[in-house]
C-alpha cells in the first residue's frame, strides 16, 4: 500500500465533506475489494475515509419493501429473519457471496458502489427495481448501473441505503467460479410491483444488465418452458480464462431457466 | 506520516500498539505484538490463513486495516488454548492428523472455534460451508471436517 491518511468521521455530513474537498480521497466500507486494490497499488488515495462510524448498518422491513443500510454486511443480510421472510432470494444471495470471512466484512453499499461485473448484489438491485438512496438523491437501479465498475455515483456521493420492493416471486441462481465464488453467470428473476424483471450478472462486458427477451416471455407466461429456448448472442459477453463468451451465452440460457424453476 | 495509537482487547487482555495507516491488522498482530501464530498466505482474502475473530466475527486480518481495530475485541490462535490445555478442536486436529505442513492450521482452528461458539451441533454441510474460506493445499479437507465434527460431538457430550 502507498501511504495515506486515515479518517473515521462519525456523521454522513463529515464523510461527504472529507470526500468533497479532495478528489484523491476514497471511501472505505468493508474493504474486501478496496484493501486488495490498495495492496496492489492500483490506487493511491490521499485520505481513506472509513464509513464504519456512520451508523449505516441496519435492516428495515415494511409490508412493501426491505431497506438495507449501506454498511450492512452480507452476513447480517443472510442471517436476517426479516429479510428471509420478505425476500428469501435476497438473503440467499447474500449468503452465497464469497466465503464466511468475506461476508463478515463485505457490505452491500461497497458491492453496489464498486459494481464489479461479476458481483451478485447488482443483479438483485436491478431485477427487484431497487432504489439507491445516496447522500444527495434517490437513484433508480435502471439509472444507477452504467457499465463495468461504473455507476451514477459522483466522487463525493455516498450510498446511504438501498430499498428493495418486495416481489411476489423471486430467485437468484449463480453458476459460480468454484474458487472465488464470483458469478461466472448469475441470473436474478423477479415478478413484483415493477413487473417481471430479469437481471444478468457475470456475463456482460458492460456489467449487470436486464434480459429483455426473458422478461417478455415470462410476462406472457411465467414458466421455465417459456425461457428454455431463448438464446442470447455472445457478442457483448465476457471472455476470460474461466469461460468463453459462447459458454457464458449458453449459461445465461440455462441459469435463467433454473432461476425461474427456483422462484416457483 | 504520524503513527496511529490503537487500543484493543486481544485474547482477553488490553493491548495497544502503534501502526502506520497502511498496516493491516495482520501486520500489527505479527510485527508489533509478536503474535506470529496468525499466518499470511495469499494476502488477498482468499486463503483464510490469517483468520481471526473480531467482535465475535470471523474475518481475514489481512483485509482489515490495523487502525480499524480501535476498540475491538480480537481473538487469535494464541487465545484458543487455556494455558497449556489445548482447546478440544486443537486436540482433535492432532488425533485426526488433520494437518500436514500446518501453515493453514491456525486459520482453520480459529474458524472452527468460531463455528462451534455459534453452533455446537453443526451438520457436515454446515461445517463445509463455514470453512469454505480456509484453504489447505496438502492434507485436504476430509480429516479437517471429521476433526471438527468429532470436536462438536465431544464438546456436546461434556457440556
Amino acid at each position: 500500500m502507498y501511504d495515506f491518511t486515515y479518517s473515521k468521521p462519525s456523521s454522513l455530513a463529515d464523510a461527504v465533506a472529507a470526500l468533497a474537498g479532495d478528489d484523491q480521497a476514497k471511501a472505505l466500507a468493508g474493504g474486501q475489494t478496496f484493501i486488495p486494490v490498495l495492496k496492489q497499488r492500483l490506487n493511491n488515495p490521499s485520505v481513506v475515509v472509513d464509513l464504519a462510524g456512520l451508523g449505516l448498518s441496519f435492516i428495515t422491513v415494511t409490508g412493501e419493501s426491505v431497506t438495507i443500510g449501506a454498511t450492512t454486511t452480507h452476513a447480517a443480510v443472510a442471517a436476517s429473519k426479516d429479510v428471509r421472510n420478505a425476500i428469501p432470494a435476497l438473503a440467499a444471495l447474500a449468503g452465497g457471496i464469497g466465503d464466511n470471512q468475506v461476508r463478515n466484512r463485505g457490505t452491500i453499499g461497497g458491492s453496489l458502489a464498486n459494481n464489479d461485473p461479476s458481483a451478485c448484489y447488482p443483479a438483485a438491485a436491478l431485477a427487484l427495481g431497487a432504489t439507491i438512496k445516496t447522500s444527495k438523491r434517490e437513484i433508480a437501479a435502471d439509472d444507477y448501473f452504467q457499465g463495468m465498475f461504473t455507476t451514477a455515483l459522483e466522487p463525493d456521493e455516498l450510498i446511504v441505503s438501498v430499498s428493495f420492493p418486495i416481489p411476489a416471486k423471486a430467485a437468484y441462481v449463480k453458476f459460480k467460479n468454484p474458487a472465488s465464488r464470483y458469478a461466472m453467470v448469475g441470473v436474478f428473476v423477479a415478478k413484483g410491483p415493477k413487473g417481471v424483471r430479469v437481471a444478468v450478472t457475470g456475463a456482460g462486458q458492460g456489467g449487470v444488465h436486464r434480459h429483455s427477451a426473458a422478461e417478455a416471455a415470462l410476462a406472457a407466461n411465467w414458466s421455465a418452458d417459456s425461457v428454455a429456448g431463448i438464446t442470447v448472442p455472445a457478442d457483448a459477453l465476457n471472455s476470460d480464462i474461466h469461460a468463453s463468451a459462447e459458454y457464458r451465452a449458453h449459461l445465461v440460457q440455462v441459469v435463467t431457466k433454473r432461476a425461474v424453476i427456483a422462484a416457483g | 506520516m504520524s503513527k496511529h495509537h490503537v487500543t484493543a482487547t486481544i485474547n482477553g487482555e488490553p493491548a495497544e500498539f502503534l501502526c502506520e495507516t497502511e498496516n493491516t491488522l495482520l501486520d500489527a498482530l505479527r510485527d508489533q505484538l509478536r503474535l506470529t501464530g496468525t499466518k499470511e498466505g495469499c494476502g488477498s482474502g482468499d486463503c483464510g490463513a490469517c483468520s481471526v475473530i473480531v467482535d465475535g466475527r470471523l474475518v481475514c486480518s489481512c483485509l482489515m486495516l490495523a487502525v480499524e481495530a480501535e476498540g475491538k475485541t480480537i481473538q487469535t490462535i494464541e487465545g484458543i488454548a487455556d494455558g497449556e490445555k489445548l482447546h478440544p478442536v486443537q486436540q482433535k486436529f492432532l488425533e485426526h492428523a488433520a494437518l500436514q505442513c500446518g501453515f493453514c492450521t491456525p486459520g482453520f482452528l480459529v474458524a472452527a472455534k468460531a463455528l462451534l461458539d455459534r453452533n455446537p451441533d453443526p451438520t457436515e454441510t454446515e461445517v463445509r460451508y463455514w470453512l469454505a474460506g480456509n484453504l489447505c493445499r496438502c492434507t485436504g479437507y476430509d480429516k479437517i471436517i471429521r476433526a471438527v465434527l468429532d470436536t462438536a460431538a465431544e464438546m456436546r457430550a461434556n457440556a
Side-chain angles (χ1 to χ4, degrees):
Chain A
M1 285 184 241
Y2 292 110
D3 194 12
F4 54 82
T5 304
Y6 171 83
S7 153
K8 188 177 178 183
S10 54
S11 77
L12 184 64
D14 288 348
V16 168
L19 292 166
D22 183 346
D23 61 3
Q24 298 299 310
K26 288 283 179 187
L28 168 67
Q32 301 303 283
T33 299
F34 186 49
I35 291 178
V37 164
L38 291 175
K39 286 185 166 195
Q40 292 172 70
R41 298 194 164 185
L42 295 171
N43 199 292
N44 184 8
S46 54
V47 54
V48 168
V49 182
D50 186 349
L51 308 181
L54 306 185
L56 295 180
S57 298
F58 59 84
I59 295 171
T60 312
V61 178
T62 67
E64 290 79 41
S65 68
V66 172
T67 301
I68 302 175
T71 59
T72 309
T73 63
H74 310 324
V77 174
S80 163
K81 286 194 173 67
D82 290 341
V83 179
R84 286 182 181 186
N85 288 334
I87 314 179
L90 187 62
L93 175 149
I97 295 172
D99 54 44
N100 202 0
Q101 288 89 331
V102 166
R103 290 190 294 274
N104 281 333
R105 295 287 297 167
T107 68
I108 188 169
S111 173
L112 292 173
N114 190 44
N115 193 20
D116 187 294
S118 297
C120 297
Y121 267 130
L126 193 56
L128 291 169
T131 300
I132 290 117
K133 185 181 174 198
T134 76
S135 51
K136 294 187 176 184
R137 56 191 163 144
E138 293 192 349
I139 311 174
D142 283 317
D143 302 322
Y144 176 83
F145 299 104
Q146 300 191 347
M148 189 180 289
F149 296 113
T150 309
T151 71
L153 289 177
E154 294 168 10
D156 62 340
E157 185 172 21
L158 287 169
I159 296 175
V160 174
S161 64
V162 189
S163 288
F164 299 90
I166 295 174
K169 290 181 177 186
Y172 177 65
V173 173
K174 126 170 111 163
F175 194 94
K176 64 187 178 224
N177 177 301
S180 70
R181 299 177 194 89
Y182 269 106
M184 279 164 62
V185 167
V187 177
F188 201 114
V189 298
K191 182 184 200 179
K194 306 223 169 168
V196 171
R197 294 167 64 100
V198 179
V200 179
T201 188
Q205 288 173 8
V208 69
H209 60 273
R210 288 174 67 180
H211 186 349
S212 51
E215 290 179 356
L218 289 171
N221 172 21
W222 181 276
S223 76
D225 288 344
S226 72
V227 292
I230 298 176
T231 56
V232 296
D235 308 350
L237 302 188
N238 284 327
S239 184
D240 56 27
I241 62 166
H242 305 302
S244 66
E246 290 74 20
Y247 183 51
R248 281 194 165 86
H250 177 68
L251 285 177
V252 171
Q253 187 180 351
V254 172
V255 174
T256 302
K257 183 177 145 188
R258 288 183 185 174
V260 176
I261 292 169
Chain B
M1 202 63 69
S2 65
K3 293 200 174 195
H4 292 265
H5 179 250
V6 175
T7 307
T9 302
I10 299 180
N11 297 328
E13 302 282 336
E16 51 189 318
F17 57 85
L18 293 174
C19 65
E20 307 280 353
T21 47
E22 67 268 30
N23 290 150
T24 63
L25 175 59
L26 176 63
D27 295 332
L29 290 172
R30 288 182 58 85
D31 301 339
Q32 303 298 322
L33 298 165
R34 299 293 170 190
L35 294 171
T36 55
T38 305
K39 305 303 181 193
E40 177 163 39
C42 64
S44 56
D46 295 303
C47 77
C50 67
S51 296
V52 299
I53 299 171
V54 177
D55 286 352
R57 289 286 182 176
L58 184 69
V59 307
C60 287
S61 59
C62 80
L63 289 193
M64 184 171 158
L65 298 177
V67 290
E68 291 183 271
E70 174 62 39
K72 305 286 191 200
T73 298
I74 297 164
Q75 195 168 27
T76 71
I77 184 63
E78 287 86 353
I80 301 291
D82 179 12
E84 294 296 307
K85 186 173 178 293
L86 294 180
H87 186 280
V89 75
Q90 293 175 304
Q91 186 60 40
K92 288 296 177 190
F93 265 56
L94 290 173
E95 291 172 14
H96 286 263
L99 68 156
Q100 189 172 310
C101 86
F103 194 83
C104 70
T105 309
F108 268 105
L109 290 169
V110 169
K113 181 188 180 289
L115 168 64
L116 297 171
D117 285 348
R118 273 173 180 258
N119 181 357
D121 190 10
T123 64
E124 181 178 334
T125 301
E126 286 168 339
V127 174
R128 287 182 182 274
Y129 174 74
W130 186 275
L131 296 178
N134 293 77
L135 303 183
C136 171
R137 297 287 84 152
C138 39
T139 310
Y141 302 99
D142 193 61
K143 290 175 175 178
I144 292 171
I145 305 299
R146 287 187 207 191
V148 174
L149 288 167
D150 195 13
T151 308
E154 184 183 276
M155 289 176 75
R156 288 198 305 279
N158 293 337

